[in-house]
Amino acid sequence: MQRTYEIMFIVRPDILDEDLDKLIAGLEANITQGGGTIKSTEKLGRRKLAYTVKKFNDGNYVLFTIHADGSLVGEIERRLRVSEPVIKFISVRMDEEEKRVAKIKAIRATRKKLSAQPAATPAAPVEPAAAPAPATEAASA
Amino acid sequence: MADETSTPSAPSTPRPEGSGPGGPGGRPAGGRPAGPGGGGRKFFRRKKVCKFCVEKIDAIHYRDVRLLQQFVAERGKIVPRRLTGVCTTHQRGLARAIKQARNIALLPFAARY
């Protein structure tokens, strides 16, 4: 069962750029070999942490959006836990949330159409009703 | 997300921002002093509205710290619904997103003083 996940992790700040790229490439290779597909990889750059993690006060954030099995995500998590430069990670399942949002958007789109239609109709009958009224007055006078 | 990295003092900024974005919301800051006082009848109080319903924000994502910070108090607590006016459904999603953001060190569990 393939599902969409987001895996975000923090790499220690004193890592060199090429080592970081190597680490990301290694993880990407792991994901593709395990039968998953990578939707996007984002390096969010260096950011200050909200609290101290392993005596570090800032870290390099990396975000993966992947399409994979639950077991593969477990495997990636294990690798992240083992790999020394990674100080923190989180994996979040996204597909149900995406489905929910898509549903809301679809509902909203249908509602807009309904509200647009009745607004056009009441304007038409006003003009013929207004026209005969002065005509009758003129005739009686 | 990238522009947030430009603010180097992230843990210190939540404090002014925590009280500040209460202001742009209007309702959280306005409701807070009047709430404990209890004299609700005398003063005109604007009806609180859910920010997520009004602005049609469907997905509350743990990554947009700017949005989440508006609903976190100075010390890092999640601001209750009665103060912010967020509807039940969105408060639930919001709480979840804040907790996820805390786990990945985007938001503090408890801000230091």
Side-chain angles (χ1 to χ4, degrees):
Chain A
M1 180 71 187
Q2 294 259 309
R3 289 188 170 128
T4 317
Y5 291 89
E6 266 189 17
I7 299 177
M8 192 189 244
F9 57 92
I10 310 171
V11 185
R12 51 192 298 157
D14 50 9
I15 197 170
L16 294 168
D17 274 351
E18 54 262 42
D19 287 340
L20 179 62
D21 289 334
K22 218 181 282 171
L23 180 78
I24 291 169
L27 282 166
E28 280 178 344
N30 279 331
I31 293 164
T32 44
Q33 277 161 22
T37 48
I38 298 163
K39 276 189 177 174
S40 68
T41 310
E42 251 182 286
K43 277 202 275 181
L44 303 173
R46 209 175 153 122
R47 200 178 182 292
K48 195 131 182 165
L49 302 178
Y51 49 88
T52 314
V53 182
K54 294 198 177 168
K55 295 181 183 170
F56 293 114
N57 278 320
D58 39 5
N60 293 305
Y61 279 76
V62 183
L63 178 73
F64 280 163
T65 312
I66 62 167
H67 208 66
D69 283 335
S71 56
L72 178 64
V73 175
E75 168 64 14
I76 299 297
E77 282 191 357
R78 193 192 64 79
R79 276 179 198 280
L80 288 172
R81 207 172 282 131
V82 168
S83 70
E84 195 266 332
V86 177
I87 55 175
K88 220 160 175 37
F89 66 88
I90 190 173
S91 52
V92 181
R93 192 178 143 189
M94 300 305 289
D95 57 341
E96 287 209 320
E97 179 74 6
E98 279 167 9
K99 213 198 281 174
R100 195 182 62 80
V101 170
K103 201 174 165 186
I104 291 169
K105 282 205 177 126
I107 290 167
R108 197 171 286 158
T110 55
R111 274 194 191 153
K112 266 178 195 161
K113 277 174 202 161
L114 284 172
S115 64
Q117 278 165 355
T121 45
V126 178
E127 289 160 29
T136 48
E137 276 168 36
S140 63
Chain B
M1 197 79 193
D3 54 334
E4 276 150 27
T5 54
S6 61
T7 57
S9 57
S12 56
T13 40
R15 268 158 241 150
E17 288 210 346
S19 57
R27 299 146 253 124
R32 215 169 296 173
R41 299 301 117 201
K42 281 181 189 173
F43 308 106
F44 170 75
R45 202 190 295 163
R46 204 202 296 167
K47 179 107 170 69
K48 288 173 187 169
V49 285
C50 175
K51 182 187 170 76
F52 300 98
C53 290
V54 170
E55 294 181 16
K56 298 204 164 78
I57 305 167
D58 300 320
I60 307 174
H61 214 274
Y62 70 97
R63 273 184 293 146
D64 45 7
V65 186
R66 287 281 162 80
L67 178 70
L68 299 181
Q69 243 162 21
Q70 297 176 16
F71 298 94
V72 168
E74 282 181 64
R75 285 301 296 259
K77 285 185 180 180
I78 300 172
V79 181
R81 219 161 67 71
R82 74 186 137 85
L83 299 183
T84 54
V86 177
C87 72
T88 325
T89 328
H90 285 129
Q91 179 76 8
R92 221 182 298 133
L94 181 66
R96 189 178 300 137
I98 290 171
K99 285 167 187 175
Q100 283 170 343
R102 280 175 181 171
N103 255 318
I104 196 69
L106 292 172
L107 287 178
F109 281 99
R112 289 185 296 272
Y113 271 97

